């Protein structure tokens, strides 16, 4: 609510996060977006005015974004030094080459769902590396163990708890 435009916009083929954090970035954005006539418009010339007139500004910026692909926008914005980034879908995240290089995606065999992708350990330590050893548990898979081992419920009570629908 204090910086404009500073949000997500729909491009022709996906979303882009745009962060026009000051008046210089606004002028550069207008130049690359084909909105030169809006750069000096008194309603948008300063951040204060852009925030005040955001209901008018947003549709102008949104309409401009629809005219190019996400990749085209990112190339233009990055070249102009305007902070921006793609909003990625799950497939794009899970196939990102940097995430894969850091071993942040593992495929494990789940007892019910079959092969599932899980997130790896984000902190990489050479002497004590973390690892992903098991898939997420199935519903109720560890209930009896937790009740008996961790909570001290006698194993002899498990059949009654099961019959009563408690577990």
């Amino acid at each position: 609510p204090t910086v404009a435009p500073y949000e997500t916009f729909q491009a022709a083929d996906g979303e882009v996060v745009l962060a026009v954090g000051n008046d210089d970035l606004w002028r550069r954005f207008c130049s690359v977006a084909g909105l030169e006539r809006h750069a000096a418009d008194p309603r948008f010339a300063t951040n204060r005015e852009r925030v005040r007139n955001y209901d008018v500004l947003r549709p102008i910026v949104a309409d401009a974004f629809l005219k190019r692909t996400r990749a085209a926008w990112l190339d233009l914005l990055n070249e102009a030094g305007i902070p921006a980034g793609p909003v990625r879908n799950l497939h794009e995240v899970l196939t990102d080459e940097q995430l894969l290089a850091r071993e942040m995606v593992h495929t494990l065999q789940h007892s019910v769902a079959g092969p599932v992708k899980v997130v790896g350990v984000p902190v990489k330590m050479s002497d004590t590396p973390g690892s992903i050893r098991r898939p997420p548990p199935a519903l109720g898979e560890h209930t009896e163990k937790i009740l008996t081992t961790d909570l001290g419920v006698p194993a002899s009570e498990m059949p009654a708890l099961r019959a009563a629908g408690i577990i």
Side-chain angles (χ1 to χ4, degrees):
T2 61
V3 179
Y6 199 105
E7 65 174 281
T8 302
F9 290 94
Q10 179 67 44
D13 63 347
E15 292 180 306
V16 174
V17 175
L18 175 68
V20 176
N22 60 46
D23 297 339
D24 178 57
L25 289 173
W26 169 248
R27 289 185 292 275
R28 284 192 263 159
F29 171 73
C30 286
S31 178
V32 299
L35 300 174
E36 292 86 351
R37 66 188 179 99
H38 296 293
D41 184 323
R43 298 173 300 171
F44 313 132
T46 66
N47 183 65
R48 178 183 297 250
E49 292 304 315
R50 288 191 300 279
V51 169
R52 185 175 289 138
N53 293 293
Y54 202 63
D55 290 344
V56 177
L57 175 64
R58 191 186 192 297
I60 293 167
V61 175
D63 184 56
F65 262 87
L66 289 171
K67 295 175 180 157
R68 292 188 174 108
T69 65
R70 187 173 68 169
W73 274 113
L74 293 172
D75 286 345
L76 286 169
L77 295 168
N78 287 330
E79 187 176 313
I82 300 165
V87 175
R88 297 179 178 183
N89 63 35
L90 191 56
H91 173 75
E92 290 169 321
V93 170
L94 293 177
T95 58
D96 179 85
E97 67 181 65
Q98 179 65 22
L99 252 57
L100 297 175
R102 292 197 71 242
E103 298 178 351
M104 288 303 301
V105 179
H106 295 271
T107 302
L108 299 173
Q109 189 64 31
H110 189 272
S111 62
V112 177
V116 294
K117 290 185 185 283
V118 297
V119 178
V121 178
V123 178
K124 309 296 184 189
M125 303 177 87
S126 58
D127 290 342
T128 55
S131 64
I132 305 298
R133 295 179 294 278
R134 287 180 275 211
L139 182 62
E141 181 177 341
H142 300 128
T143 300
E144 286 189 27
K145 181 179 186 287
I146 292 169
L147 287 172
T148 57
T149 305
D150 299 336
L151 300 177
V153 178
S156 60
E157 291 186 27
M158 293 303 119
L161 293 172
R162 193 170 307 295
I166 295 171
I167 61 170

